[in-house]
Amino acid sequence: MVPPAALLQIIQKGLQYTEAEISIGDGGSERVVESLSLIDSVMPEVVDMRKKQVAEAERNRRGGGRMKPEAHNGGEDDHSNHHQAVAMDAESSGGGGGGGYFPANRVTVLRGHESEVFICAWNPKTDLLASGSGDSTARIWDATDLASAGEAKKQLVLKHCISKGGLDVPSNKDVTSLDWNCDGNRLATGSYDGFARLWSTDGTLLCTLGQHKGPIFALKWNKAGHLCIERRPPLSGRAISGQAQQQFSFHTAPALDVDWKDNETFASCSTDQSIQVCRLGSDSPIKTFRGHSNEVNAIKWDPRGQLLASCSDDMTLKLWSVDRGSLVHDFKAHQKEIYTIKWSPTGYNTRNPNANLYLASASFDATVRLWDVEAGACAQVFCNHREPVYSVAFSPCGRYLASGSFDKCVHIWSIESGTLVHKYQGTGGIFEVCWNSTGDRVGASAADGTVVILDLRMM
């Protein structure tokens, strides 16, 4: 009975109200203040300290002290002043250096979704950006000519419907996952309604995979056109025709992520704290890894398919060897849950064979860590975010890393220097960031229903 995102909206409104209380000075004037985190907003001592800071700034202003940006009633001026204040604060905050904000003519904000956008992914062959939302739709945005149009030429709305009383009606369930196949001519989407769907690039629904009895949390294509679908047990392996090829019932709780090692072997992780390595045609796992003490959120194979990385709510990042059947590294540096991980497209068996191989981890402690796997140590810590980091993505060349956080910011870091080279502040917390195939655009999906494209060409 509770509409999707209703509780989130209430929390956001409460946070905005607390910020409004702080921003009003003794004389009734409004001051630009640094955004509060959710945790800070419910800590009385933090709120009181911020109120005192605002009051002190007001007294300094009246007494001829250093001026700070003031907010005015009106639209664009308010946003501009806030943007400048945040930029100045970020430049002086340290922790990786301060890169410049994306200029307005390099930012395209795509609007159409009516709820938070959880995920986005670029087509591997062309500049089509897919997004999945809590409004029970996915969308395909045509970004092939943004420079001249200033906006996506068109958007295709992929409505996720279910049959009810002989009619197709919206499922009213979140689109939780999506993935393009390697040829870029099929988009698979997974929904909390328990159905996976296959779409063409023109938005045509090709088939609905409906043998699932629980929400779908993840799905992933392999290069041969097999689609692995993660949900509450069992898992399913399906061919491109949509026919179920095999089901796997190895986990005892919901599976959260899946990744293919090759066309026959994949790994899955679950809230049951285990990792299962499975092979098509086999009735039992070829390997089971246990060692995490809490939910395993994400898993990723390295480019060679020899090491499997996993991250967990237990705040650890682990590397497993299937050949050895054992744990290789157990990294313990993050202070809160690790939400996701990504391997760099570098080293052996990649397009960048002469570059070092790295693994990036994103955590709710508001940091991103870069790990040198060969050395078995943390190589960089990126700490300019102020809220949990939900997503990281390497550029195709492996020289840059994009990160997206619930502080509404997308940061782009230099792997070589460890500095922040570009940044963008949006209007909603960032759930996902992704690079296009040519490495000159970054897509981001946000909690306020927007999808953003950042253009790095000629920057």
Side-chain angles (χ1 to χ4, degrees), residues 136-137 160-162 169-175 191-193 195 197:
S136 74
T137 73
H160 288 56
C161 297
I162 57 175
V169 298
S171 69
N172 293 325
K173 300 293 184 180
D174 300 346
V175 177
S191 170
Y192 217 79
D193 64 11
F195 293 92
R197 296 167 175 85

Side-chain angles (χ1 to χ4, degrees), residues 43-97:
M43 298 181 68
E45 63 272 19
V46 175
V47 174
D48 289 342
M49 179 187 69
R50 296 285 288 276
K51 287 181 178 179
K52 291 177 181 178
Q53 290 174 344
V54 171
E56 181 67 25
E58 178 71 11
R59 286 193 293 271
N60 289 341
R61 187 184 69 83
R62 290 176 177 176
R66 184 169 62 91
M67 293 288 288
K68 294 184 179 180
E70 289 192 40
H72 304 277
N73 293 326
E76 293 184 2
D77 288 340
D78 281 347
H79 178 76
S80 175
N81 283 334
H82 174 71
H83 189 82
Q84 291 173 2
V86 173
M88 291 169 59
D89 181 72
E91 290 289 351
S92 62
S93 65

Side-chain angles (χ1 to χ4, degrees), residues 228-401:
C228 189
I229 302 167
E230 292 272 13
R231 65 166 189 90
R232 297 183 184 273
L235 287 72
S236 283
R238 295 177 181 268
I240 197 170
S241 63
Q243 298 299 313
Q245 181 171 338
Q246 188 175 356
Q247 289 194 341
F248 304 85
S249 302
F250 306 143
H251 287 296
T252 59
L256 298 181
D257 196 17
V258 61
D259 197 36
W260 288 94
K261 177 179 183 290
D262 50 42
N263 286 333
E264 299 293 328
T265 307
F266 66 90
S268 63
C269 63
S270 167
T271 60
D272 66 10
Q273 305 177 17
S274 75
I275 300 166
Q276 307 283 2
V277 182
C278 309
R279 180 172 292 134
L280 296 181
S282 177
D283 294 331
S284 60
I286 62 175
K287 191 66 63 178
T288 298
F289 293 120
R290 301 185 187 278
H292 284 292
S293 59
N294 209 325
E295 299 181 0
V296 185
N297 294 319
I299 49 172
K300 295 291 181 293
W301 291 99
D302 78 325
R304 301 180 68 173
Q306 294 183 344
L307 295 176
L308 180 64
S310 62
C311 65
S312 168
D313 281 358
D314 66 10
M315 301 182 288
T316 70
L317 170 64
K318 301 183 189 296
L319 296 184
W320 312 85
S321 169
V322 175
D323 293 337
R324 301 181 195 174
S326 62
L327 182 66
V328 178
H329 289 296
D330 189 5
F331 297 124
K332 299 177 181 179
H334 283 293
Q335 302 303 307
K336 290 185 179 180
E337 299 93 329
I338 306 175
Y339 189 74
T340 193
I341 47 178
K342 290 288 173 62
W343 290 96
S344 63
T346 52
Y348 180 81
N349 203 32
T350 72
R351 293 187 296 177
N352 311 290
N354 297 322
N356 290 336
L357 177 65
Y358 292 104
L359 180 65
S361 57
S363 171
F364 283 6
D365 66 9
T367 70
V368 175
R369 287 182 176 266
L370 195 66
W371 304 90
D372 186 327
V373 176
E374 184 175 348
C378 182
Q380 299 278 3
V381 182
F382 304 131
C383 52
N384 277 46
H385 286 298
R386 295 189 176 94
E387 294 284 345
V389 184
Y390 278 84
S391 181
V392 287
F394 283 94
S395 62
C397 66
R399 295 171 54 199
Y400 301 99
L401 181 72

